[in-house]
Amino acid sequence: MKICVVGAGGIGGLLAARLAQSGEEVTVIARGPHLAAIRANGLKLIEEDGRENISRIAATDKIADVSEQDLVILGMKAHQVAAVVRDLPAMYGRDTAVLTAQNGIPWWYFLRVSGPHEGRRLESVDPGGIIADNLPAERVLGSVVYPAAEITEPGVIKHIEGNRFSIAEIDNSKTERIVRISEALQKAGFKAPVAGDIRAEIWTKLWGNLSFNPISALTHATLEDICKFQPTRDAAARLMREAQSVGEALGVRFRIPLEKRIAGAEAVGPHKTSMLQDIEAGRGIEADALIGSVIELGQIANVPTPQIETVYACVKLLAATLARDGGRLRIEKA
């Protein structure tokens, strides 16, 4: 397949490198020193076990430079999608699919699904409906991203852990194209099951993201630290219970117990969440997709979310403070 990965950061770069190694025709959209390094030296992937591979792939910072693709993978953070959707049609053919690989509640959550909220837009993840207006729902595929990966230097991706990308049509139908893409991802070395209920799986992943990510960003603690310190373990559990109430009010069935989900996070070890990594790097954070969206869904379902709202306010203030101070935390000494 001809595949373009828009946003060749940690997850996008991991996908691009593995797919290129398996024989797919891959192009990446990247910027700055990362783009320059990929053009000059290829995209290096350091696997979890230390093995290194370099893929020579096409790279550009202009979507308009890319020809018609079979698959477009949106590898950027959720709050960055709106900035590119108007440019994506340059890569569309009749059957081009667009795989969304963002954390949190997706902008398409109420699209192509039956129920009282069918077709409703979520302002928290798609302000003004920019994404929905410019990305046809029939092209969209959903995913739940489990791996952790990061850019260690320009042109170099480090795979930290995890190997699963659950994918699905957003109406949960099992189509020829979703099976084909699942097979391509498996050929590239990923576990890539076609999910039977993509929204339920999104909630299982989000359950941890909306609790551990903000706590880690506010405390600079790892997953292991948060889970082993009883007060923060309890705080995460309270956030998760609120979120579970929202999800269940919308018809979602949580398939694992809350404590098992927390134990799974603890087992990851001394890993920094993506939100903490973004805070330390002075980047924008996914507060709205991971936390604000659950507050909005709670309002839709008439379920109160006071603890989630408190954490959301603190994280948004942290992000605003960092933006004001040029992306750096200023610590005053007494």
Side-chain angles (χ1 to χ4, degrees), residues 51-181:
R51 288 180 295 115
E52 297 184 5
N53 291 287
I54 296 177
S55 301
R56 292 284 179 176
I57 57 179
T60 179
D61 58 356
K62 296 181 178 64
I63 291 175
D65 292 345
V66 182
S67 62
E68 182 179 306
Q69 301 290 296
D70 298 306
L71 176 65
V72 174
I73 300 175
L74 300 182
M76 73 283 290
K77 298 292 178 69
H79 57 276
Q80 299 170 325
V81 175
V84 304
V85 288
R86 292 188 178 93
D87 298 325
L88 297 180
M91 298 186 288
Y92 292 168
R94 186 187 66 180
D95 299 318
T96 304
V98 179
L99 180 67
T100 56
Q102 285 71 50
N103 282 322
I105 296 294
W107 60 272
W108 49 259
Y109 189 83
F110 287 125
L111 300 183
R112 305 191 73 187
V113 62
S114 60
H117 306 298
E118 183 176 2
R120 184 163 187 162
R121 292 180 179 178
L122 293 172
E123 190 68 18
S124 53
V125 289
D126 188 14
I130 293 172
I131 303 174
D133 287 344
N134 290 278
L135 180 46
E138 61 269 18
R139 291 194 182 273
V140 177
L141 305 174
S143 74
V144 181
V145 177
Y146 292 97
E150 62 185 5
I151 300 174
T152 57
E153 60 182 277
V156 180
I157 305 294
K158 167 66 175 172
H159 178 205
I160 298 169
E161 58 92 25
N163 209 38
R164 178 187 175 104
F165 286 87
S166 293
I167 64 172
E169 295 281 356
I170 64 174
D171 63 0
N172 291 318
S173 60
K174 193 164 185 178
T175 62
E176 182 180 335
R177 71 176 180 179
I178 199 67
V179 170
R180 182 185 179 200
I181 293 166

Side-chain angles (χ1 to χ4, degrees), residues 118-293:
E118 183 176 2
R120 184 163 187 162
R121 292 180 179 178
L122 293 172
E123 190 68 18
S124 53
V125 289
D126 188 14
I130 293 172
I131 303 174
D133 287 344
N134 290 278
L135 180 46
E138 61 269 18
R139 291 194 182 273
V140 177
L141 305 174
S143 74
V144 181
V145 177
Y146 292 97
E150 62 185 5
I151 300 174
T152 57
E153 60 182 277
V156 180
I157 305 294
K158 167 66 175 172
H159 178 205
I160 298 169
E161 58 92 25
N163 209 38
R164 178 187 175 104
F165 286 87
S166 293
I167 64 172
E169 295 281 356
I170 64 174
D171 63 0
N172 291 318
S173 60
K174 193 164 185 178
T175 62
E176 182 180 335
R177 71 176 180 179
I178 199 67
V179 170
R180 182 185 179 200
I181 293 166
S182 171
E183 291 171 348
L185 289 169
Q186 290 178 62
K187 182 183 173 186
F190 297 109
K191 295 178 182 178
V194 176
D197 184 350
I198 189 65
R199 288 164 183 81
E201 193 158 343
I202 284 170
W203 273 97
T204 300
K205 174 80 184 297
L206 176 65
W207 217 8
N209 285 152
L210 74 88
S211 53
F212 297 120
N213 278 46
I215 292 173
S216 70
L218 293 166
T219 64
H220 286 225
T222 67
L223 285 175
E224 184 179 60
D225 294 333
I226 294 166
C227 294
K228 287 187 174 180
F229 185 60
Q230 196 62 47
T232 49
R233 188 186 187 99
D234 292 343
R238 289 192 295 270
L239 293 168
M240 293 168 76
R241 289 190 192 99
E242 280 191 357
Q244 184 171 357
S245 296
V246 174
E248 289 176 342
L250 293 169
V252 174
R253 183 169 65 89
F254 287 74
R255 299 174 179 175
I256 63 172
L258 184 150
E259 271 299 325
K260 185 175 181 180
R261 181 66 179 85
I262 294 177
E266 183 177 357
V268 173
H271 171 62
K272 294 181 179 180
T273 68
S274 59
M275 189 175 288
L276 175 55
Q277 291 179 39
D278 288 340
I279 288 292
E280 291 182 340
R283 297 187 292 258
I285 60 175
E286 297 176 290
D288 293 306
L290 298 183
I291 315 168
S293 59

Side-chain angles (χ1 to χ4, degrees), residues 302-324:
N302 293 314
V303 175
T305 55
Q307 306 226 24
I308 296 173
E309 290 171 31
T310 298
V311 168
Y312 176 69
C314 292
V315 168
K316 292 289 280 188
L317 176 58
L318 175 59
T321 303
L322 286 170
R324 182 196 65 198

